[in-house]
Structure formats: C-alpha cells, structure tokens
Amino acid sequence: MNATSRDFYADCDREMLLRALVRTGFTHEELADESSVQLRKIARSERRKGRGAVPTSISRQLVGQLCNGATRSTNELRAIAIERALGMDDGSIFVPRVYRGTRNVDRQPA
C-alpha cells in the first residue's frame, strides 16, 4: 500500500495490530503520538506532490477504537502511519483491500 491516494480507507487486522502493540510496548497514547509524527512526514510528502487535504494527526481514541474493535477501518494514510510507527511493513496490519469513502444509497424514484 503506497502513500499515493487520499479519501480511501483501509481495513484493520485487529489481531496483528494487538500483537504489534504488545511487541513494541507502546500505550495507546504513545502509539498515537508516534503515528502522528509519521503522518506529518507523509502529509509533507503529499503536499509536495500537489495533493489536497491530508489528515495530520491520529488521536488516542482512534487507536483505542481500532484495538477494541469498535472501528474496523481508517484513512489509508493514517493506516500507513500507524504501521510505520509500529515498525511494520506497509500493508501488514491494515488489509490492502481499500474501498472508496463514499457509499451507494438506494434511492426511491419520485
């Protein structure tokens, strides 16, 4: 998963995330802080490429929700930042299956 797209979401493999979190010994807050540092690096790179709005931080609550299973996906660039903060290869924790952020809605004819 390369840092080339925005407005995409990546699904989290919760077991792998928890294993990596235990291996590194990070708390949710430490992981959020280190991931935010990585995400700012990615954001600078994306801005140099002329891309628009890119997320610039990762909250402790998001990390907690991913670990607890309350949230199963996150922005693709946030996923890459979390993996890099944990010292994992891109695409090893967050499933490379990526889907568009917009959803289809069944509409009734007027």
Side-chain angles (χ1 to χ4, degrees):
M1 203 166 33
N2 294 328
T4 58
S5 59
R6 302 168 324 282
D7 299 331
F8 282 93
Y9 290 83
D11 292 334
C12 179
D13 184 350
R14 186 172 168 254
E15 273 187 42
M16 290 297 292
L17 176 62
L18 293 175
R19 286 180 190 172
L21 197 60
V22 168
R23 182 181 54 81
T24 59
F26 283 160
T27 63
H28 292 178
E29 187 171 1
E30 291 169 338
L31 178 58
D33 291 342
E34 183 60 32
S35 298
S36 291
V37 169
Q38 295 295 324
L39 185 59
R40 282 191 290 275
K41 291 178 185 177
I42 293 169
R44 277 194 302 270
S45 173
E46 291 289 303
R47 272 188 243 116
R48 268 188 242 124
K49 295 175 186 175
R51 305 234 165 88
V54 177
T56 56
S57 66
I58 297 173
S59 68
R60 180 177 48 91
Q61 290 81 10
L62 174 63
V63 173
Q65 290 171 353
L66 288 168
C67 291
N68 294 332
T71 298
R72 291 188 220 152
S73 63
T74 187
N75 181 285
E76 179 188 18
L77 299 176
R78 283 188 173 119
I80 292 169
I82 291 170
E83 289 171 335
R84 290 181 182 174
L86 290 170
M88 303 292 285
D89 294 330
D90 293 352
S92 60
I93 295 175
F94 289 85
V95 180
R97 182 182 59 153
V98 179
Y99 52 93
R100 228 22 193 147
T102 58
R103 295 192 175 120
N104 293 333
V105 177
D106 292 330
R107 298 181 184 193
Q108 299 296 326

